[in-house]
Amino acid sequence: AQSVTQLGSHVSVSEGALVLLRCNYSSSVPPYLFWYVQYPNQGLQLLLKYTSAATLVKGINGFEAEFKKSETSFHLTKPSAHMSDAAEYFCAVSGPNSGYALNFGKGTSLLVTP
Amino acid sequence: EAQVTQNPRYLITVTGKKLTVTCSQNMNHEYMSWYRQDPGLGLRQIYYSMNVEVTDKGDVPEGYKVSRKEKRNFPLILESPSPNQTSLYFCASRTLTGGHTDTQYFGPGTRLTVL
């Protein structure tokens, strides 16, 4: 089965600092990886996705993620945090072994301090 | 506007009282799914549907039912709710034409409390 592990349930950064949210995947076949963001009292919104076309994926709101097969990782980064980035972030994996379901990590809550 | 809608957004009920949460999408998607979100557990799939009249269990189907009589609608039914079904529920949909890489679109969520 395909799965993802998000390291750190809570991450706190200062406004303007680098954001790094970690996601490691487990898959016996090439995975398709996604990052979703959930703002308070809202549904999930796709930030970016890895579809094997390019290892460095750029998403919305200045976020990007790099697929590293050797490290089985797909960490999410943003060079400079804004207060509006405070939200819950979910890494998810899909692929032939999971049908069309998304298998989510447990989420990382990002706090941005002034 | 392309969207997934859910109703109600908030619901408080009592144990054993049947309820239905509706989900509708206007994107002509074949695939629809229900997830529940619990603190520290992320999102877990309850049921999914590949097309009209085709449904199957996800990871946590116990205590839930679904139906897919029309392509746009995918209601979630709790025939005898229990307190352990208190959760935040999301409906999602996607097309199947692009394979595994197509984006899944989520509704705004339904917060259910079972007393």
Side-chain angles (χ1 to χ4, degrees):
Chain A
Q2 296 165 301
S3 64
V4 292
T5 301
Q6 292 183 241
L7 301 175
S9 58
H10 294 84
V11 170
S12 180
V13 300
S14 300
E15 191 174 19
L18 171 71
V19 175
L20 171 60
L21 304 182
R22 299 177 187 272
C23 175
N24 288 89
Y25 69 89
S26 174
S27 177
S28 59
V29 297
Y32 301 107
L33 294 159
F34 305 78
W35 275 100
Y36 280 84
V37 61
Q38 183 182 27
Y39 297 106
N41 299 314
Q42 294 188 28
L44 278 75
Q45 179 183 5
L46 181 70
L47 274 177
L48 50 82
K49 61 182 177 182
Y50 168 72
T51 61
S52 76
T55 57
L56 183 61
V57 182
K58 295 188 182 298
I60 61 172
N61 300 339
F63 284 94
E64 64 180 37
E66 186 172 7
F67 175 76
K68 291 186 177 180
K69 185 177 180 180
S70 61
E71 298 178 7
T72 61
S73 69
F74 190 57
H75 302 331
L76 182 71
T77 61
K78 182 174 180 177
S80 176
H82 295 162
M83 296 296 290
S84 60
D85 293 327
E88 187 90 14
Y89 292 81
F90 292 96
C91 182
V93 63
S94 180
N97 290 350
S98 64
Y100 291 94
L102 285 172
N103 292 326
F104 284 89
K106 295 183 178 180
T108 298
S109 180
L110 177 65
L111 174 66
V112 182
T113 58
Chain B
E1 179 190 357
Q3 60 183 351
V4 179
T5 57
Q6 296 178 227
N7 282 291
R9 293 288 313 278
Y10 301 90
L11 179 59
I12 300 175
T13 189
V14 295
T15 299
K17 186 176 181 181
K18 181 179 179 178
L19 66 91
T20 299
V21 183
T22 64
C23 172
S24 183
Q25 51 93 5
N26 62 0
M27 295 170 277
N28 201 36
H29 286 166
E30 299 88 353
Y31 183 95
M32 297 186 73
S33 179
W34 277 103
Y35 294 85
R36 62 177 287 173
Q37 181 183 7
D38 301 290
L41 297 178
L43 282 81
R44 295 175 292 168
Q45 191 181 50
I46 303 171
Y47 267 95
Y48 65 94
S49 170
M50 301 284 278
N51 215 323
V52 175
E53 302 292 0
V54 180
T55 63
D56 209 345
K57 297 177 180 179
D59 295 323
V60 288
E62 292 76 21
Y64 304 95
K65 286 176 59 177
V66 293
S67 69
R68 188 90 181 274
K69 293 183 170 57
E70 303 167 284
K71 196 172 186 179
R72 63 182 292 124
N73 297 323
F74 190 47
L76 179 69
I77 303 158
L78 285 72
E79 297 218 326
S80 183
S82 61
N84 64 12
Q85 294 178 299
T86 292
S87 188
L88 180 58
Y89 292 86
F90 288 101
C91 181
S93 75
R94 54 159 291 167
T95 182
L96 293 177
T97 55
H100 293 279
T101 61
D102 277 349
T103 300
Q104 199 155 149
Y105 295 89
F106 286 81
T110 295
R111 186 167 294 281
L112 172 66
T113 302
V114 183
L115 301 175

PDB file of all heavy atoms in Angstrom, chain A residues 58-91:
ATOM      1  N   LYS A  58       6.342  23.597  -8.964  1.00  0.00           N
ATOM      2  CA  LYS A  58       5.924  24.905  -8.429  1.00  0.00           C
ATOM      3  C   LYS A  58       4.407  24.938  -8.318  1.00  0.00           C
ATOM      4  O   LYS A  58       3.686  24.468  -9.211  1.00  0.00           O
ATOM      5  CB  LYS A  58       6.413  26.023  -9.334  1.00  0.00           C
ATOM      6  CG  LYS A  58       7.934  26.133  -9.383  1.00  0.00           C
ATOM      7  CD  LYS A  58       8.399  27.354 -10.122  1.00  0.00           C
ATOM      8  CE  LYS A  58       9.924  27.402 -10.207  1.00  0.00           C
ATOM      9  NZ  LYS A  58      10.537  27.471  -8.863  1.00  0.00           N
ATOM     10  N   GLY A  59       3.946  25.484  -7.190  1.00  0.00           N
ATOM     11  CA  GLY A  59       2.510  25.540  -6.964  1.00  0.00           C
ATOM     12  C   GLY A  59       2.022  26.964  -6.786  1.00  0.00           C
ATOM     13  O   GLY A  59       2.688  27.920  -7.152  1.00  0.00           O
ATOM     14  N   ILE A  60       0.872  27.060  -6.172  1.00  0.00           N
ATOM     15  CA  ILE A  60       0.273  28.380  -5.964  1.00  0.00           C
ATOM     16  C   ILE A  60       0.849  29.031  -4.712  1.00  0.00           C
ATOM     17  O   ILE A  60       1.464  28.360  -3.868  1.00  0.00           O
ATOM     18  CB  ILE A  60      -1.255  28.279  -5.840  1.00  0.00           C
ATOM     19  CG1 ILE A  60      -1.650  27.420  -4.634  1.00  0.00           C
ATOM     20  CG2 ILE A  60      -1.862  27.728  -7.115  1.00  0.00           C
ATOM     21  CD1 ILE A  60      -3.136  27.439  -4.324  1.00  0.00           C
ATOM     22  N   ASN A  61       0.681  30.343  -4.620  1.00  0.00           N
ATOM     23  CA  ASN A  61       1.068  31.107  -3.427  1.00  0.00           C
ATOM     24  C   ASN A  61       2.558  31.009  -3.110  1.00  0.00           C
ATOM     25  O   ASN A  61       2.942  31.183  -1.950  1.00  0.00           O
ATOM     26  CB  ASN A  61       0.257  30.661  -2.204  1.00  0.00           C
ATOM     27  CG  ASN A  61      -1.241  30.848  -2.404  1.00  0.00           C
ATOM     28  OD1 ASN A  61      -1.667  31.639  -3.250  1.00  0.00           O
ATOM     29  ND2 ASN A  61      -2.032  30.112  -1.670  1.00  0.00           N
ATOM     30  N   GLY A  62       3.394  30.756  -4.103  1.00  0.00           N
ATOM     31  CA  GLY A  62       4.840  30.751  -3.904  1.00  0.00           C
ATOM     32  C   GLY A  62       5.425  29.467  -3.347  1.00  0.00           C
ATOM     33  O   GLY A  62       6.614  29.397  -3.040  1.00  0.00           O
ATOM     34  N   PHE A  63       4.607  28.446  -3.190  1.00  0.00           N
ATOM     35  CA  PHE A  63       5.098  27.165  -2.672  1.00  0.00           C
ATOM     36  C   PHE A  63       5.695  26.313  -3.788  1.00  0.00           C
ATOM     37  O   PHE A  63       5.299  26.413  -4.946  1.00  0.00           O
ATOM     38  CB  PHE A  63       3.950  26.389  -2.015  1.00  0.00           C
ATOM     39  CG  PHE A  63       3.572  26.908  -0.663  1.00  0.00           C
ATOM     40  CD1 PHE A  63       2.552  27.834  -0.507  1.00  0.00           C
ATOM     41  CD2 PHE A  63       4.240  26.455   0.480  1.00  0.00           C
ATOM     42  CE1 PHE A  63       2.207  28.321   0.743  1.00  0.00           C
ATOM     43  CE2 PHE A  63       3.893  26.927   1.730  1.00  0.00           C
ATOM     44  CZ  PHE A  63       2.888  27.868   1.861  1.00  0.00           C
ATOM     45  N   GLU A  64       6.650  25.495  -3.415  1.00  0.00           N
ATOM     46  CA  GLU A  64       7.190  24.507  -4.326  1.00  0.00           C
ATOM     47  C   GLU A  64       7.608  23.273  -3.551  1.00  0.00           C
ATOM     48  O   GLU A  64       7.740  23.309  -2.325  1.00  0.00           O
ATOM     49  CB  GLU A  64       8.373  25.068  -5.129  1.00  0.00           C
ATOM     50  CG  GLU A  64       9.573  25.450  -4.327  1.00  0.00           C
ATOM     51  CD  GLU A  64      10.676  26.001  -5.228  1.00  0.00           C
ATOM     52  OE1 GLU A  64      10.380  26.711  -6.210  1.00  0.00           O
ATOM     53  OE2 GLU A  64      11.850  25.701  -4.940  1.00  0.00           O
ATOM     54  N   ALA A  65       7.784  22.174  -4.279  1.00  0.00           N
ATOM     55  CA  ALA A  65       8.187  20.921  -3.650  1.00  0.00           C
ATOM     56  C   ALA A  65       9.099  20.177  -4.612  1.00  0.00           C
ATOM     57  O   ALA A  65       8.941  20.276  -5.833  1.00  0.00           O
ATOM     58  CB  ALA A  65       6.974  20.070  -3.294  1.00  0.00           C
ATOM     59  N   GLU A  66      10.036  19.440  -4.046  1.00  0.00           N
ATOM     60  CA  GLU A  66      10.973  18.684  -4.867  1.00  0.00           C
ATOM     61  C   GLU A  66      10.838  17.197  -4.584  1.00  0.00           C
ATOM     62  O   GLU A  66      10.907  16.770  -3.423  1.00  0.00           O
ATOM     63  CB  GLU A  66      12.410  19.126  -4.617  1.00  0.00           C
ATOM     64  CG  GLU A  66      13.404  18.457  -5.558  1.00  0.00           C
ATOM     65  CD  GLU A  66      14.798  19.033  -5.444  1.00  0.00           C
ATOM     66  OE1 GLU A  66      15.049  19.863  -4.555  1.00  0.00           O
ATOM     67  OE2 GLU A  66      15.655  18.634  -6.269  1.00  0.00           O
ATOM     68  N   PHE A  67      10.634  16.433  -5.624  1.00  0.00           N
ATOM     69  CA  PHE A  67      10.552  14.980  -5.504  1.00  0.00           C
ATOM     70  C   PHE A  67      11.970  14.417  -5.515  1.00  0.00           C
ATOM     71  O   PHE A  67      12.731  14.632  -6.461  1.00  0.00           O
ATOM     72  CB  PHE A  67       9.753  14.399  -6.666  1.00  0.00           C
ATOM     73  CG  PHE A  67       9.705  12.905  -6.702  1.00  0.00           C
ATOM     74  CD1 PHE A  67       8.886  12.210  -5.822  1.00  0.00           C
ATOM     75  CD2 PHE A  67      10.473  12.187  -7.615  1.00  0.00           C
ATOM     76  CE1 PHE A  67       8.828  10.822  -5.857  1.00  0.00           C
ATOM     77  CE2 PHE A  67      10.420  10.802  -7.649  1.00  0.00           C
ATOM     78  CZ  PHE A  67       9.601  10.120  -6.767  1.00  0.00           C
ATOM     79  N   LYS A  68      12.313  13.698  -4.444  1.00  0.00           N
ATOM     80  CA  LYS A  68      13.636  13.084  -4.353  1.00  0.00           C
ATOM     81  C   LYS A  68      13.444  11.590  -4.138  1.00  0.00           C
ATOM     82  O   LYS A  68      13.157  11.132  -3.020  1.00  0.00           O
ATOM     83  CB  LYS A  68      14.444  13.694  -3.207  1.00  0.00           C
ATOM     84  CG  LYS A  68      14.851  15.143  -3.449  1.00  0.00           C
ATOM     85  CD  LYS A  68      15.778  15.646  -2.353  1.00  0.00           C
ATOM     86  CE  LYS A  68      16.241  17.063  -2.642  1.00  0.00           C
ATOM     87  NZ  LYS A  68      17.157  17.583  -1.587  1.00  0.00           N
ATOM     88  N   LYS A  69      13.668  10.856  -5.203  1.00  0.00           N
ATOM     89  CA  LYS A  69      13.450   9.409  -5.132  1.00  0.00           C
ATOM     90  C   LYS A  69      14.419   8.747  -4.165  1.00  0.00           C
ATOM     91  O   LYS A  69      14.055   7.832  -3.419  1.00  0.00           O
ATOM     92  CB  LYS A  69      13.594   8.799  -6.535  1.00  0.00           C
ATOM     93  CG  LYS A  69      13.271   7.326  -6.607  1.00  0.00           C
ATOM     94  CD  LYS A  69      13.370   6.832  -8.028  1.00  0.00           C
ATOM     95  CE  LYS A  69      13.048   5.332  -8.103  1.00  0.00           C
ATOM     96  NZ  LYS A  69      13.135   4.827  -9.497  1.00  0.00           N
ATOM     97  N   SER A  70      15.665   9.198  -4.166  1.00  0.00           N
ATOM     98  CA  SER A  70      16.679   8.576  -3.309  1.00  0.00           C
ATOM     99  C   SER A  70      16.357   8.741  -1.831  1.00  0.00           C
ATOM    100  O   SER A  70      16.758   7.923  -1.000  1.00  0.00           O
ATOM    101  CB  SER A  70      18.048   9.172  -3.601  1.00  0.00           C
ATOM    102  OG  SER A  70      18.042  10.565  -3.338  1.00  0.00           O
ATOM    103  N   GLU A  71      15.626   9.796  -1.502  1.00  0.00           N
ATOM    104  CA  GLU A  71      15.262  10.059  -0.108  1.00  0.00           C
ATOM    105  C   GLU A  71      13.793   9.753   0.152  1.00  0.00           C
ATOM    106  O   GLU A  71      13.319   9.956   1.284  1.00  0.00           O
ATOM    107  CB  GLU A  71      15.545  11.531   0.223  1.00  0.00           C
ATOM    108  CG  GLU A  71      17.017  11.918   0.092  1.00  0.00           C
ATOM    109  CD  GLU A  71      17.266  13.388   0.373  1.00  0.00           C
ATOM    110  OE1 GLU A  71      16.338  14.093   0.805  1.00  0.00           O
ATOM    111  OE2 GLU A  71      18.407  13.834   0.143  1.00  0.00           O
ATOM    112  N   THR A  72      13.082   9.296  -0.842  1.00  0.00           N
ATOM    113  CA  THR A  72      11.616   9.061  -0.781  1.00  0.00           C
ATOM    114  C   THR A  72      10.922  10.244  -0.119  1.00  0.00           C
ATOM    115  O   THR A  72      10.100  10.089   0.797  1.00  0.00           O
ATOM    116  CB  THR A  72      11.255   7.745  -0.058  1.00  0.00           C
ATOM    117  OG1 THR A  72      11.723   7.796   1.298  1.00  0.00           O
ATOM    118  CG2 THR A  72      11.857   6.552  -0.763  1.00  0.00           C
ATOM    119  N   SER A  73      11.254  11.440  -0.586  1.00  0.00           N
ATOM    120  CA  SER A  73      10.706  12.639   0.041  1.00  0.00           C
ATOM    121  C   SER A  73      10.039  13.549  -0.971  1.00  0.00           C
ATOM    122  O   SER A  73      10.330  13.510  -2.173  1.00  0.00           O
ATOM    123  CB  SER A  73      11.803  13.403   0.781  1.00  0.00           C
ATOM    124  OG  SER A  73      12.718  13.966  -0.141  1.00  0.00           O
ATOM    125  N   PHE A  74       9.168  14.388  -0.461  1.00  0.00           N
ATOM    126  CA  PHE A  74       8.463  15.387  -1.266  1.00  0.00           C
ATOM    127  C   PHE A  74       8.158  16.558  -0.336  1.00  0.00           C
ATOM    128  O   PHE A  74       7.021  16.871  -0.037  1.00  0.00           O
ATOM    129  CB  PHE A  74       7.187  14.788  -1.856  1.00  0.00           C
ATOM    130  CG  PHE A  74       6.507  15.646  -2.902  1.00  0.00           C
ATOM    131  CD1 PHE A  74       7.180  16.059  -4.035  1.00  0.00           C
ATOM    132  CD2 PHE A  74       5.173  16.007  -2.757  1.00  0.00           C
ATOM    133  CE1 PHE A  74       6.547  16.834  -5.002  1.00  0.00           C
ATOM    134  CE2 PHE A  74       4.525  16.782  -3.718  1.00  0.00           C
ATOM    135  CZ  PHE A  74       5.223  17.192  -4.834  1.00  0.00           C
ATOM    136  N   HIS A  75       9.189  17.212   0.119  1.00  0.00           N
ATOM    137  CA  HIS A  75       9.043  18.294   1.090  1.00  0.00           C
ATOM    138  C   HIS A  75       8.527  19.563   0.432  1.00  0.00           C
ATOM    139  O   HIS A  75       8.911  19.908  -0.690  1.00  0.00           O
ATOM    140  CB  HIS A  75      10.383  18.590   1.769  1.00  0.00           C
ATOM    141  CG  HIS A  75      10.981  17.415   2.480  1.00  0.00           C
ATOM    142  ND1 HIS A  75      10.217  16.399   3.030  1.00  0.00           N
ATOM    143  CD2 HIS A  75      12.284  17.100   2.742  1.00  0.00           C
ATOM    144  CE1 HIS A  75      11.004  15.505   3.597  1.00  0.00           C
ATOM    145  NE2 HIS A  75      12.261  15.904   3.434  1.00  0.00           N
ATOM    146  N   LEU A  76       7.722  20.288   1.161  1.00  0.00           N
ATOM    147  CA  LEU A  76       7.112  21.536   0.689  1.00  0.00           C
ATOM    148  C   LEU A  76       7.893  22.716   1.246  1.00  0.00           C
ATOM    149  O   LEU A  76       8.197  22.745   2.441  1.00  0.00           O
ATOM    150  CB  LEU A  76       5.657  21.607   1.156  1.00  0.00           C
ATOM    151  CG  LEU A  76       4.843  22.825   0.719  1.00  0.00           C
ATOM    152  CD1 LEU A  76       4.551  22.749  -0.777  1.00  0.00           C
ATOM    153  CD2 LEU A  76       3.539  22.891   1.513  1.00  0.00           C
ATOM    154  N   THR A  77       8.215  23.673   0.387  1.00  0.00           N
ATOM    155  CA  THR A  77       8.972  24.839   0.842  1.00  0.00           C
ATOM    156  C   THR A  77       8.384  26.132   0.291  1.00  0.00           C
ATOM    157  O   THR A  77       7.688  26.138  -0.725  1.00  0.00           O
ATOM    158  CB  THR A  77      10.446  24.759   0.412  1.00  0.00           C
ATOM    159  OG1 THR A  77      10.514  24.716  -1.023  1.00  0.00           O
ATOM    160  CG2 THR A  77      11.134  23.540   0.993  1.00  0.00           C
ATOM    161  N   LYS A  78       8.696  27.209   1.016  1.00  0.00           N
ATOM    162  CA  LYS A  78       8.376  28.555   0.565  1.00  0.00           C
ATOM    163  C   LYS A  78       9.462  29.461   1.123  1.00  0.00           C
ATOM    164  O   LYS A  78       9.753  29.396   2.323  1.00  0.00           O
ATOM    165  CB  LYS A  78       6.995  28.987   1.039  1.00  0.00           C
ATOM    166  CG  LYS A  78       6.604  30.382   0.544  1.00  0.00           C
ATOM    167  CD  LYS A  78       5.172  30.718   0.904  1.00  0.00           C
ATOM    168  CE  LYS A  78       4.816  32.117   0.388  1.00  0.00           C
ATOM    169  NZ  LYS A  78       3.403  32.477   0.659  1.00  0.00           N
ATOM    170  N   PRO A  79      10.075  30.282   0.301  1.00  0.00           N
ATOM    171  CA  PRO A  79      11.229  31.062   0.762  1.00  0.00           C
ATOM    172  C   PRO A  79      10.907  32.028   1.894  1.00  0.00           C
ATOM    173  O   PRO A  79      11.730  32.242   2.786  1.00  0.00           O
ATOM    174  CB  PRO A  79      11.666  31.820  -0.504  1.00  0.00           C
ATOM    175  CG  PRO A  79      11.087  31.052  -1.638  1.00  0.00           C
ATOM    176  CD  PRO A  79       9.811  30.467  -1.136  1.00  0.00           C
ATOM    177  N   SER A  80       9.727  32.630   1.864  1.00  0.00           N
ATOM    178  CA  SER A  80       9.416  33.676   2.827  1.00  0.00           C
ATOM    179  C   SER A  80       7.963  33.544   3.277  1.00  0.00           C
ATOM    180  O   SER A  80       7.038  33.730   2.479  1.00  0.00           O
ATOM    181  CB  SER A  80       9.646  35.050   2.185  1.00  0.00           C
ATOM    182  OG  SER A  80       9.274  36.092   3.065  1.00  0.00           O
ATOM    183  N   ALA A  81       7.772  33.237   4.537  1.00  0.00           N
ATOM    184  CA  ALA A  81       6.425  33.000   5.054  1.00  0.00           C
ATOM    185  C   ALA A  81       5.641  34.297   5.219  1.00  0.00           C
ATOM    186  O   ALA A  81       6.187  35.319   5.648  1.00  0.00           O
ATOM    187  CB  ALA A  81       6.516  32.291   6.406  1.00  0.00           C
ATOM    188  N   HIS A  82       4.346  34.216   4.900  1.00  0.00           N
ATOM    189  CA  HIS A  82       3.430  35.312   5.156  1.00  0.00           C
ATOM    190  C   HIS A  82       2.448  34.884   6.232  1.00  0.00           C
ATOM    191  O   HIS A  82       2.200  33.693   6.437  1.00  0.00           O
ATOM    192  CB  HIS A  82       2.657  35.664   3.880  1.00  0.00           C
ATOM    193  CG  HIS A  82       3.516  36.183   2.788  1.00  0.00           C
ATOM    194  ND1 HIS A  82       3.098  36.221   1.469  1.00  0.00           N
ATOM    195  CD2 HIS A  82       4.772  36.664   2.792  1.00  0.00           C
ATOM    196  CE1 HIS A  82       4.072  36.713   0.721  1.00  0.00           C
ATOM    197  NE2 HIS A  82       5.093  36.983   1.493  1.00  0.00           N
ATOM    198  N   MET A  83       1.896  35.861   6.901  1.00  0.00           N
ATOM    199  CA  MET A  83       0.909  35.541   7.936  1.00  0.00           C
ATOM    200  C   MET A  83      -0.241  34.732   7.359  1.00  0.00           C
ATOM    201  O   MET A  83      -0.794  33.839   8.012  1.00  0.00           O
ATOM    202  CB  MET A  83       0.362  36.824   8.557  1.00  0.00           C
ATOM    203  CG  MET A  83       1.406  37.659   9.295  1.00  0.00           C
ATOM    204  SD  MET A  83       2.095  36.810  10.720  1.00  0.00           S
ATOM    205  CE  MET A  83       0.691  36.822  11.814  1.00  0.00           C
ATOM    206  N   SER A  84      -0.592  34.997   6.110  1.00  0.00           N
ATOM    207  CA  SER A  84      -1.715  34.314   5.469  1.00  0.00           C
ATOM    208  C   SER A  84      -1.421  32.846   5.158  1.00  0.00           C
ATOM    209  O   SER A  84      -2.322  32.114   4.737  1.00  0.00           O
ATOM    210  CB  SER A  84      -2.095  35.027   4.171  1.00  0.00           C
ATOM    211  OG  SER A  84      -0.995  35.043   3.280  1.00  0.00           O
ATOM    212  N   ASP A  85      -0.183  32.401   5.355  1.00  0.00           N
ATOM    213  CA  ASP A  85       0.164  30.996   5.111  1.00  0.00           C
ATOM    214  C   ASP A  85      -0.225  30.096   6.273  1.00  0.00           C
ATOM    215  O   ASP A  85      -0.134  28.866   6.168  1.00  0.00           O
ATOM    216  CB  ASP A  85       1.669  30.855   4.848  1.00  0.00           C
ATOM    217  CG  ASP A  85       2.092  31.522   3.555  1.00  0.00           C
ATOM    218  OD1 ASP A  85       1.289  31.535   2.608  1.00  0.00           O
ATOM    219  OD2 ASP A  85       3.236  32.025   3.504  1.00  0.00           O
ATOM    220  N   ALA A  86      -0.632  30.675   7.380  1.00  0.00           N
ATOM    221  CA  ALA A  86      -1.029  29.880   8.540  1.00  0.00           C
ATOM    222  C   ALA A  86      -2.222  29.010   8.177  1.00  0.00           C
ATOM    223  O   ALA A  86      -3.281  29.517   7.786  1.00  0.00           O
ATOM    224  CB  ALA A  86      -1.382  30.790   9.704  1.00  0.00           C
ATOM    225  N   ALA A  87      -2.040  27.703   8.271  1.00  0.00           N
ATOM    226  CA  ALA A  87      -3.068  26.755   7.829  1.00  0.00           C
ATOM    227  C   ALA A  87      -2.598  25.350   8.165  1.00  0.00           C
ATOM    228  O   ALA A  87      -1.515  25.142   8.698  1.00  0.00           O
ATOM    229  CB  ALA A  87      -3.313  26.878   6.326  1.00  0.00           C
ATOM    230  N   GLU A  88      -3.449  24.382   7.822  1.00  0.00           N
ATOM    231  CA  GLU A  88      -3.083  22.964   7.940  1.00  0.00           C
ATOM    232  C   GLU A  88      -2.674  22.488   6.550  1.00  0.00           C
ATOM    233  O   GLU A  88      -3.356  22.779   5.562  1.00  0.00           O
ATOM    234  CB  GLU A  88      -4.292  22.157   8.437  1.00  0.00           C
ATOM    235  CG  GLU A  88      -4.001  20.716   8.755  1.00  0.00           C
ATOM    236  CD  GLU A  88      -3.589  20.512  10.206  1.00  0.00           C
ATOM    237  OE1 GLU A  88      -3.782  21.441  11.012  1.00  0.00           O
ATOM    238  OE2 GLU A  88      -3.081  19.422  10.530  1.00  0.00           O
ATOM    239  N   TYR A  89      -1.568  21.747   6.487  1.00  0.00           N
ATOM    240  CA  TYR A  89      -1.048  21.269   5.212  1.00  0.00           C
ATOM    241  C   TYR A  89      -1.024  19.745   5.217  1.00  0.00           C
ATOM    242  O   TYR A  89      -0.563  19.114   6.173  1.00  0.00           O
ATOM    243  CB  TYR A  89       0.361  21.821   4.971  1.00  0.00           C
ATOM    244  CG  TYR A  89       0.363  23.319   4.737  1.00  0.00           C
ATOM    245  CD1 TYR A  89       0.303  24.201   5.804  1.00  0.00           C
ATOM    246  CD2 TYR A  89       0.399  23.837   3.440  1.00  0.00           C
ATOM    247  CE1 TYR A  89       0.270  25.573   5.595  1.00  0.00           C
ATOM    248  CE2 TYR A  89       0.378  25.207   3.217  1.00  0.00           C
ATOM    249  CZ  TYR A  89       0.310  26.061   4.295  1.00  0.00           C
ATOM    250  OH  TYR A  89       0.283  27.422   4.085  1.00  0.00           O
ATOM    251  N   PHE A  90      -1.514  19.193   4.125  1.00  0.00           N
ATOM    252  CA  PHE A  90      -1.585  17.746   4.005  1.00  0.00           C
ATOM    253  C   PHE A  90      -0.814  17.280   2.776  1.00  0.00           C
ATOM    254  O   PHE A  90      -1.010  17.799   1.677  1.00  0.00           O
ATOM    255  CB  PHE A  90      -3.037  17.280   3.870  1.00  0.00           C
ATOM    256  CG  PHE A  90      -3.858  17.470   5.107  1.00  0.00           C
ATOM    257  CD1 PHE A  90      -4.657  18.594   5.260  1.00  0.00           C
ATOM    258  CD2 PHE A  90      -3.833  16.522   6.118  1.00  0.00           C
ATOM    259  CE1 PHE A  90      -5.425  18.774   6.402  1.00  0.00           C
ATOM    260  CE2 PHE A  90      -4.606  16.696   7.265  1.00  0.00           C
ATOM    261  CZ  PHE A  90      -5.389  17.819   7.407  1.00  0.00           C
ATOM    262  N   CYS A  91       0.004  16.271   2.986  1.00  0.00           N
ATOM    263  CA  CYS A  91       0.654  15.569   1.903  1.00  0.00           C
ATOM    264  C   CYS A  91      -0.191  14.339   1.584  1.00  0.00           C
ATOM    265  O   CYS A  91      -0.770  13.723   2.504  1.00  0.00           O
ATOM    266  CB  CYS A  91       2.061  15.164   2.329  1.00  0.00           C
ATOM    267  SG  CYS A  91       3.045  14.329   1.083  1.00  0.00           S
TER     268      CYS A  91
END
